[in-house]
Amino acid sequence: MVMKQLFEGLYYIHESKILHRDMKAANILITKSGVLKLADFGLARAFSYRLPHEKQNRYTNRVVTLWYRPPELLLGARDYGPVIDLWGAGCIMAELWTRTPIMQGKTEQHQLQLITQLCGSYIKDVWPNVDRLDLFNEMEMPQGHKRKVRDRLKPYLKDAKAIDLLDKLLSLDPSKRPNADMALNHDFFWTDPDVIDLGKMLSQHSTSMFEYLAPARRPGQPVPQHRPTRPPQMNILKKSIESLFICMNYAF
C-alpha cells in the first residue's frame, strides 16, 4: 500500500507538471490513518514537455539527495523529466524490504560506482547516447559490470512481480524507466494478494513502534529550564527503515 500511494502521489504531481526532485524515504509521510503524503517540495519545480524541434530544457542537475539521485543527473543531464522521481521511488521500494538505503555513496563518483555494481555498466548498448551527457568524459566509468538488480534483491523480495517492477524502476536509461501511471498498472498491483490497508495495519499494532528522537545531553550538562514540548500525537516511526516517518495527525 505504501508504494501504491507513492505512485499515486507522483502521478498527481507529474500530471500537474511538477517535479519533486528530492524523492527519498525521509520525505514520505504517513498519517496514523494510513494516508501517505509527499513532503518537502523545497527542490520542486514546474516543468514542461519539450517537442523534438524545441530547444532543450536547462534544469540544474544538482538536485536529489545523493543516495537517491538517478544516474543521468550524476552524469550532468539538464534536460530531464518525471522519471527522475521514479528512480528515487525504486530506491525507496527496495529500502522497504532491505531496511537500509541500497546505495550509500560518499561522493558522486562513489555513487556512480555503486549504481554500476548493481545496475550494470554505462554502455551504449544499454543506454544509447549516454556518452553525450556533459559529465560522461569527466567521471570514471567502471566497465565490465553486469546488471544484478534481480539477483541482489531476490533474497529480500519473494514476489517475482515486485522484483520485476523494481528492476524497471532502476533502469539506467531514463527512457526505459516507467512513469507513475505505468508503475500503477504493473502486474504487481493487480495480482493477489491485494494491497494491505495501512490504516487497518497501524490500528492493530499491540506493541510500541514509536520513539521520540532528541539529541542526548552530554554528561553534566544542565537540564534546560524550558524544555521543548513534544508535539501532541507526533512520533517518528522506526521499524522498517529509520527514515520512513509516520506523522500522527499530520496535515500536509
Side-chain angles (χ1 to χ4, degrees):
M1 191 61 176
V2 170
M3 292 310 302
K4 184 174 185 292
Q5 290 191 69
L6 175 56
F7 290 131
E8 288 173 341
L10 289 176
Y11 175 80
Y12 179 82
I13 66 170
H14 293 162
E15 283 295 296
S16 301
K17 303 298 187 294
I18 299 294
L19 300 176
H20 188 280
R21 303 204 304 179
D22 197 17
M23 287 304 305
K24 58 182 178 181
N27 288 340
I28 306 301
L29 308 180
I30 303 176
T31 69
K32 67 176 182 180
S33 59
V35 178
L36 181 145
K37 299 176 183 291
L38 302 180
D40 192 353
F41 281 74
L43 293 176
R45 68 152 295 162
F47 75 95
S48 60
Y49 290 105
R50 180 178 59 84
L51 297 176
H53 66 277
E54 293 179 329
K55 186 178 180 180
Q56 285 191 341
N57 297 311
R58 298 294 289 174
Y59 309 129
T60 177
N61 67 309
R62 305 289 295 182
V63 290
V64 186
T65 300
L66 184 60
W67 294 353
Y68 304 84
R69 192 177 303 170
E72 62 268 28
L73 296 190
L74 290 166
L75 293 175
R78 298 187 62 184
D79 184 12
Y80 53 79
V83 291
I84 67 163
D85 290 338
L86 273 297
W87 175 275
C91 293
I92 293 169
M93 182 176 178
E95 191 170 336
L96 288 172
W97 271 281
T98 63
R99 303 191 179 189
T100 186
I102 59 172
M103 292 176 283
Q104 303 180 34
K106 299 178 181 178
T107 64
E108 293 181 351
Q109 179 66 67
H110 186 212
Q111 190 69 17
L112 276 173
Q113 293 173 347
L114 294 178
I115 292 174
T116 302
Q117 292 167 9
L118 180 65
C119 302
S121 297
Y122 312 96
I123 57 177
K124 294 182 181 179
D125 291 344
V126 173
W127 186 355
N129 301 323
V130 62
D131 57 329
R132 297 184 183 179
L133 294 176
D134 293 347
L135 300 181
F136 181 82
N137 294 317
E138 298 182 21
M139 307 289 279
E140 181 182 344
M141 296 290 104
Q143 300 298 317
H145 289 277
K146 295 182 179 180
R147 189 170 179 83
K148 300 177 181 177
V149 175
R150 293 174 182 266
D151 291 339
R152 291 267 295 273
L153 295 175
K154 190 176 295 183
Y156 303 97
L157 283 77
K158 304 304 181 182
D159 190 317
K161 293 181 174 62
I163 295 177
D164 182 71
L165 174 56
L166 184 52
D167 191 31
K168 289 179 168 63
L169 291 168
L170 296 181
S171 296
L172 291 175
D173 184 352
S175 68
K176 298 176 183 176
R177 213 173 292 151
N179 59 30
D181 185 44
M182 295 166 64
L184 285 168
N185 282 291
H186 191 275
D187 287 345
F188 174 59
F189 294 112
W190 294 95
T191 53
D192 293 331
D194 291 336
V195 294
I196 300 173
D197 181 83
L198 284 179
K200 182 178 180 180
M201 181 190 74
L202 293 173
S203 67
Q204 293 177 345
H205 279 289
S206 57
T207 58
S208 175
M209 300 190 308
F210 302 99
E211 179 179 348
Y212 181 69
L213 303 181
R217 290 193 301 273
R218 296 188 299 273
Q221 183 179 3
V223 177
Q225 292 182 352
H226 301 286
R227 289 187 178 182
T229 58
R230 177 175 179 172
Q233 295 184 324
M234 185 71 75
N235 295 283
I236 299 178
L237 174 65
K238 292 186 65 179
K239 184 175 171 144
S240 295
I241 47 177
E242 289 189 353
S243 54
L244 181 59
F245 295 89
I246 288 188
C247 294
M248 313 301 282
N249 290 333
Y250 183 93
F252 179 66

